[in-house]
Amino acid sequence: MAKTPANTEEKIKDAAHQLFLEKGFGGTTTRDIAKCANTNIALVNYYFRSKENLFREVFQEGFANTFLPVAKILNDDFPLEVKIYKFVDHMTELLKSDPMMPLFVLSEMRSGQSQMCEIMLKSGAMDSNGFQLQLDCEADAGKIREADALQVETSLMAMVLFPFLSMNILKMKHQMDDTAFDEFVDARKKVIPEIILSYLRLP
Amino acid sequence: MAKTPANTEEKIKDAAHQLFLEKGFGGTTTRDIAKCANTNIALVNYYFRSKENLFREVFQEGFANTFLPVAKILNDDFPLEVKIYKFVDHMTELLKSDPMMPLFVLSEMRSGQSQMCEIMLKSGAMDSNGFQLQLDCEADAGKIREADALQVETSLMAMVLFPFLSMNILKMKHQMDDTAFDEFVDARKKVIPEIILSYLRLP
DNA sequence: GTCTATATCGTGATAGAC
DNA sequence: GTCTATCACGATATAGAC
């Protein structure tokens, strides 16, 4: 994947991808991108008309292909317990391979400098789901307590994403290196489903 | 609190506080701050020597007085159940009055443009705690399962902070206005402790 | 203390030669 | 396609009059 790309256009895209993730849209300069791709500013603007355009081209499709399928697991057709383990496991692995993505997305959506909002909307990440139906169904069968899907979903997402969002603080506070951090989030693959399932099962 | 301050210095501080929170250190210009405080750039640099200095003066003390005491509740001397309800309640109320603080802190720590790291370290937010001792003690007494304090603490913090971190997406996705959002996080004051306590009580 | 004017630099984008 | 040179602008910071 990280194969040094042959043509200049791809080199620029790769450099942009890396730098945007690291420093955000506003914090990244066209000069940085050009330098990182071993070329010059003029070529960046030759291939992509502007910095904004480059940003969109780099992230638009990427989302739909990686984040979205995993986020949709909660709407797929699996038994409740399987679904929760599957979601936590897949999402954790995805984030381990792209640890700075969550904070990047949230930051960009706040600043509004980039067109992150448009990208998210186009990606379909905003579509609604049938998770509430499943919870209601299981509750009617007396298998779990009655629960608000939005509350459960938010808690689940929070527990998976938060370690990556606060990675810097977490590492600094507990003297973790990359390996220790990976071990920590791996352990959460078991803890998080246990937490949610303990709650859902009747009191 | 939001009383229009008499002297120029305070007006500049207030404007800076608001704008930094909203757009980050890199996204805020000295011009913005001056304009928002109804004054000019020269005065901003007259009272504070530089933008960096202004940033530090605005946030350095604020943290130790607001966020820190609440974060330390987990180390205070309360019965486990009381402590968890108290922590979630106090932290939620704090964040409702300052909803953009969490994303601001995490963003600044990533970008490294500001001196957020130094401020956090100085504030004492990195000190260790005795939460693990309490969990071990309760587990020995057979009242709860054995649990890793870091995992529990992270999950707790995650569930409280995440709705504020993802506020923009959450509102957009579920068509929430400010009132609906407040109701949502208020409901979590009950849900979050139930989730954590369900997990801690034996399986 | 407050202002206007300006110095100095870094940025995004483009012109034009090759 | 690729480069150098440059424009136009906005940023921080400061000088100096009042």
Side-chain angles (χ1 to χ4, degrees), chain A residues 56 60-61 63-64 68 72 115-127, chain B residues 172:
Chain A
R56 193 161 7 88
Q60 192 125 272
E61 52 190 61
F63 274 171
L68 204 59
K72 290 253 161 127
Q115 316 129 317
M116 202 65 227
C117 285
E118 292 83 342
I119 292 179
M120 287 291 287
L121 286 172
K122 268 193 184 168
S123 79
M126 294 300 164
D127 299 356
Chain B
M172 189 185 298

Side-chain angles (χ1 to χ4, degrees), chain B residues 167-192:
Chain B
M167 188 168 45
N168 286 334
I169 297 184
L170 209 55
K171 281 182 175 174
M172 189 185 298
K173 186 170 175 183
H174 297 95
Q175 283 101 39
M176 289 185 187
D177 56 13
D178 288 352
T179 313
F181 181 78
D182 275 7
E183 281 169 12
F184 178 69
V185 294
D186 277 336
R188 290 182 72 72
K189 290 184 192 168
K190 185 157 173 271
V191 173
I192 295 172

Side-chain angles (χ1 to χ4, degrees), chain A residues 18-28 32, chain B residues 110-111 113:
Chain A
Q18 176 194 331
L19 289 172
F20 279 142
L21 266 181
E22 202 173 312
K23 316 204 283 182
F25 179 80
T28 302
D32 284 343
Chain B
R110 178 194 61 168
S111 76
Q113 292 174 6

Side-chain angles (χ1 to χ4, degrees), chain B residues 29-31 45 51:
Chain B
T29 67
T30 315
R31 280 173 168 75
N45 283 323
K51 189 182 161 190

Side-chain angles (χ1 to χ4, degrees), chain A residues 18-165:
Chain A
Q18 176 194 331
L19 289 172
F20 279 142
L21 266 181
E22 202 173 312
K23 316 204 283 182
F25 179 80
T28 302
T29 67
T30 314
R31 278 171 167 79
D32 284 343
I33 297 173
K35 192 173 189 178
C36 181
N38 283 318
T39 176
N40 55 68
I41 306 179
L43 272 188
V44 175
N45 284 322
Y46 169 75
Y47 283 108
F48 314 88
R49 280 184 2 217
S50 69
K51 190 182 160 190
E52 285 215 341
N53 213 44
L54 173 55
F55 183 87
R56 193 161 7 88
E57 289 213 26
V58 166
F59 289 105
Q60 192 125 272
E61 52 190 61
F63 274 171
N65 302 337
T66 57
F67 180 76
L68 204 59
V70 179
K72 290 253 161 127
I73 289 180
L74 287 183
N75 303 321
D76 288 352
D77 194 24
F78 295 114
L80 187 60
E81 199 161 321
V82 175
K83 174 184 289 195
I84 289 176
Y85 273 99
K86 198 182 175 79
F87 172 79
V88 174
D89 187 76
H90 282 50
M91 186 64 91
T92 300
E93 285 303 317
L94 175 63
L95 295 180
K96 275 166 68 180
S97 75
D98 213 351
M100 298 192 294
M101 184 61 80
L103 186 51
F104 168 74
V105 173
L106 294 183
S107 300
E108 292 303 321
M109 294 213 50
R110 178 193 61 167
S111 76
Q113 292 174 6
S114 60
Q115 316 129 317
M116 202 65 227
C117 285
E118 292 83 342
I119 292 179
M120 287 291 287
L121 286 172
K122 268 193 184 168
S123 79
M126 294 300 164
D127 299 356
S128 63
N129 65 73
F131 190 45
Q132 182 72 65
L133 287 172
Q134 183 175 32
L135 289 187
D136 290 346
C137 187
E138 299 270 322
D140 284 347
K143 292 183 177 176
I144 63 169
R145 77 162 83 190
E146 289 197 14
D148 179 5
L150 183 54
Q151 291 286 357
V152 175
E153 218 176 304
T154 303
S155 303
L156 207 45
M157 201 72 93
M159 287 190 284
V160 178
L161 291 183
F162 186 73
F164 294 92
L165 289 167

Side-chain angles (χ1 to χ4, degrees), chain B residues 6-31:
Chain B
N7 54 356
T8 306
E9 190 171 354
E10 280 304 315
K11 276 200 290 190
I12 293 173
K13 263 190 169 180
D14 283 8
H17 183 94
Q18 176 194 330
L19 288 172
F20 279 141
L21 267 181
E22 202 172 313
K23 315 205 282 182
F25 179 80
T28 302
T29 67
T30 315
R31 280 173 168 75

